[in-house]
Amino acid sequence: MIESPTTSATPATGSALRGSIGVAGIVFLVIAAAAPLTAVAGSLPVMIAIGNGAGAPMAYIVAAAVLLVFSVGYAAMSSSVTDTGAFYAYVTKGLGRPSGLGAAGLALLAYTTIQAAIYGLAASTLQSVVVKFGGPDLPWWFWAFALMALVAVLGYRSIDLGAKVLGVLLLAEIAIIVALSVGVLAKGGAHGIDFVSFTPSAFFSGSPGIALMFAIASFVGFEATAIYGEEAKNPKRTVPIATYVAVITIGVLYAVASWAVVLAFGSDNVQAAAQADTANLVFNAAATYLGGTASDIMMVMLVTSLFAALLAFHNAIARYTFALARAGFGPKRFMAVHAKHGSPHAGSILQTITAAILVGVFALAGADPVLQLFTWMSGVAIVAILVLMVLTSLAIIAYFRRSGTDSRLWHTKIAPVLGSLGLIAITALVIANFTTLIGGSSVLANVFLVVIAAVFLGGFVAGRVLGDRTTGAPTL
């Protein structure tokens, strides 16, 4: 029998987070974590170069479709679970405490590693931008810790303030992406407008698995729709709407922007152009269709895009720490809510410390901020978050089958099953291409996969032990 979760839809009095964030605010937080400009200027050129070339835009549509189907059950279950632990709370509710703690371990691993990865990329990008505009050539880790300090200040305060900051940055980066797309489409691209990118032959050419792998990674942070449920004005309404709006917005934005980049060089030539200059593919397109000034602005805004993602992931990890402490699986000090800001300030401080340690280790080792810190840590995060989403999807199926609280066939049975199958297929695809994803050796890839498995198993075993101690019987 599956035990009732320790997390509940109604948090204990005095231990609930406070905020008045609405649908728009949550959508901003989710899309900020997805870092649109980072995906378009950073991931897309790699998808085109070593993936499926002109078929890359279709990968975003496939990824969005799978996540939309997954979102049906996810949104339906949000009516029963309003907890800042999000995926952890859902898995606990559906599969029991051991699986829930294993899921929490995966979530903390995923968000901690992806944030460390982004610190590496953001610091390297900021270093280049400063030098380009005549500033001092300081080491990348200096900029990483400078960004970390700013994130720490905003993360400590109310989520409403963080959402406002992210909102401004996000609107700016979306504006430049839309401007590039409109500029290319208005001028007809390099060889006219065509729809080759959305044909099956283009999608399945080359290595579609790699393209799909990067596409799904561009949606990391998707869980935030439920993470901020407690701080929402009306979580039962806000979370489902925000989930659908976020997935559709991200999917459409990426598909159109990537199609425009393909057209900017021509469907037949874009892969060769990406292979010749992967790092500057999108900036070159901006210079051609919008002018050199726009290209420079886009480079600066890439830094703000990465900063927005850093703040979004910082907030997510702090809230996971809070949720675990409130459920009795962490020091009580981390369930404290700031008297003025209503934020999980203790968890925010802990997250700043762990980020400093992880980035510091790479800095002391003399590691490359992009080739090692970014690629290795983002690879770990992608696999961990996909496994976490598979567990959540299975938990949704189990919960509705057992509880009978919602009798809608599509929402509680068909969509969750289809979502699970789609996520399992993508996860298998990512693991099969994991060595390519991290840009390392097969030995290193296997070590990272073992770490991911060990984190889940460690949490699962801890849940069993704690269950036996508190109830005297197994929790599953």
Side-chain angles (χ1 to χ4, degrees), residues 259-397:
W259 178 45
V261 171
V262 169
L263 294 177
F265 296 92
S267 300
D268 295 335
N269 303 323
V270 69
Q271 188 164 38
Q275 291 169 345
D277 190 1
T278 306
N280 294 306
L281 182 74
V282 175
F283 298 119
N284 291 338
T288 300
Y289 291 89
L290 298 178
T293 300
S295 180
D296 289 342
I297 292 174
M298 180 177 284
M299 186 174 293
V300 172
M301 289 180 59
L302 177 57
V303 176
T304 65
S305 172
L306 290 163
F307 174 77
L310 287 170
L311 182 55
F313 285 121
H314 176 96
N315 286 332
I317 300 167
R319 281 152 182 77
Y320 254 102
T321 304
F322 170 86
L324 288 171
R326 185 172 64 186
F329 303 123
K332 291 184 178 180
R333 69 175 69 92
F334 294 120
M335 64 179 285
V337 177
H338 196 281
K340 179 181 179 181
H341 304 304
S343 62
H345 61 291
S348 177
I349 293 173
L350 176 65
Q351 165 51 22
T352 299
I353 293 172
T354 56
I357 292 173
L358 190 52
V359 172
V361 168
F362 277 85
L364 289 173
D368 184 280
V370 177
L371 298 179
Q372 293 170 316
L373 177 54
F374 176 72
T375 57
W376 293 359
M377 293 298 95
S378 60
V380 171
I382 290 169
V383 174
I385 202 70
L386 277 170
V387 174
L388 180 58
M389 291 176 69
V390 169
L391 286 170
T392 303
S393 197
L394 295 175
I396 291 169
I397 296 171

Side-chain angles (χ1 to χ4, degrees), residues 119-422:
Y119 271 121
L121 182 59
S124 177
T125 304
L126 181 54
Q127 180 188 42
S128 299
V129 169
V130 170
V131 172
K132 177 180 175 64
F133 292 105
D137 188 4
L138 299 173
W140 69 268
W141 51 263
F142 172 86
W143 297 113
F145 287 113
L147 290 169
M148 204 176 294
L150 187 54
V151 168
V153 172
L154 290 172
Y156 186 88
R157 296 171 64 84
S158 167
I159 189 61
D160 297 316
L161 175 62
K164 290 174 183 176
V165 172
L166 291 176
V168 172
L169 297 178
L170 186 60
L171 288 174
E173 64 177 291
I174 289 178
I176 196 72
I177 292 173
V178 171
L180 174 60
S181 301
V182 171
V184 173
L185 293 174
K187 294 180 180 179
H191 308 297
I193 305 296
D194 65 58
F195 298 90
V196 171
S197 293
F198 303 105
T199 61
S201 59
F203 175 69
F204 287 108
S205 65
S207 301
I210 292 177
L212 190 57
M213 181 170 59
F214 279 99
I216 202 73
S218 299
F219 286 85
V220 169
F222 160 79
E223 180 187 12
T225 53
I227 285 178
Y228 300 107
E230 285 183 32
E231 295 157 278
K233 295 176 182 177
N234 182 358
K236 295 185 185 302
R237 173 182 178 275
T238 300
V239 172
I241 294 176
T243 301
Y244 292 128
V245 171
V247 174
I248 293 172
T249 301
I250 294 172
V252 171
L253 180 67
Y254 287 168
V256 173
S258 58
W259 178 45
V261 171
V262 169
L263 294 177
F265 296 92
S267 300
D268 295 335
N269 303 323
V270 69
Q271 188 164 38
Q275 291 169 345
D277 190 1
T278 306
N280 294 306
L281 182 74
V282 175
F283 298 119
N284 291 338
T288 300
Y289 291 89
L290 298 178
T293 300
S295 180
D296 289 342
I297 292 174
M298 180 177 284
M299 186 174 293
V300 172
M301 289 180 59
L302 177 57
V303 176
T304 65
S305 172
L306 290 163
F307 174 77
L310 287 170
L311 182 55
F313 285 121
H314 176 96
N315 286 332
I317 300 167
R319 281 152 182 77
Y320 254 102
T321 304
F322 170 86
L324 288 171
R326 185 172 64 186
F329 303 123
K332 291 184 178 180
R333 69 175 69 92
F334 294 120
M335 64 179 285
V337 177
H338 196 281
K340 179 181 179 181
H341 304 304
S343 62
H345 61 291
S348 177
I349 293 173
L350 176 65
Q351 165 51 22
T352 299
I353 293 172
T354 56
I357 292 173
L358 190 52
V359 172
V361 168
F362 277 85
L364 289 173
D368 184 280
V370 177
L371 298 179
Q372 293 170 316
L373 177 54
F374 176 72
T375 57
W376 293 359
M377 293 298 95
S378 60
V380 171
I382 290 169
V383 174
I385 202 70
L386 277 170
V387 174
L388 180 58
M389 291 176 69
V390 169
L391 286 170
T392 303
S393 197
L394 295 175
I396 291 169
I397 296 171
Y399 171 75
F400 283 120
R401 181 178 181 182
R402 183 180 72 255
S403 69
T405 56
D406 192 327
S407 60
R408 292 176 295 177
L409 185 63
W410 168 250
H411 290 74
T412 63
K413 293 182 176 63
I414 298 176
V417 169
L418 292 176
S420 297
L421 293 175

Side-chain angles (χ1 to χ4, degrees), residues 69-89:
V69 174
F70 166 81
S71 297
V72 174
Y74 186 58
M77 195 167 172
S78 68
S79 298
S80 303
V81 181
T82 302
D83 192 295
T84 195
F87 283 168
Y88 148 67

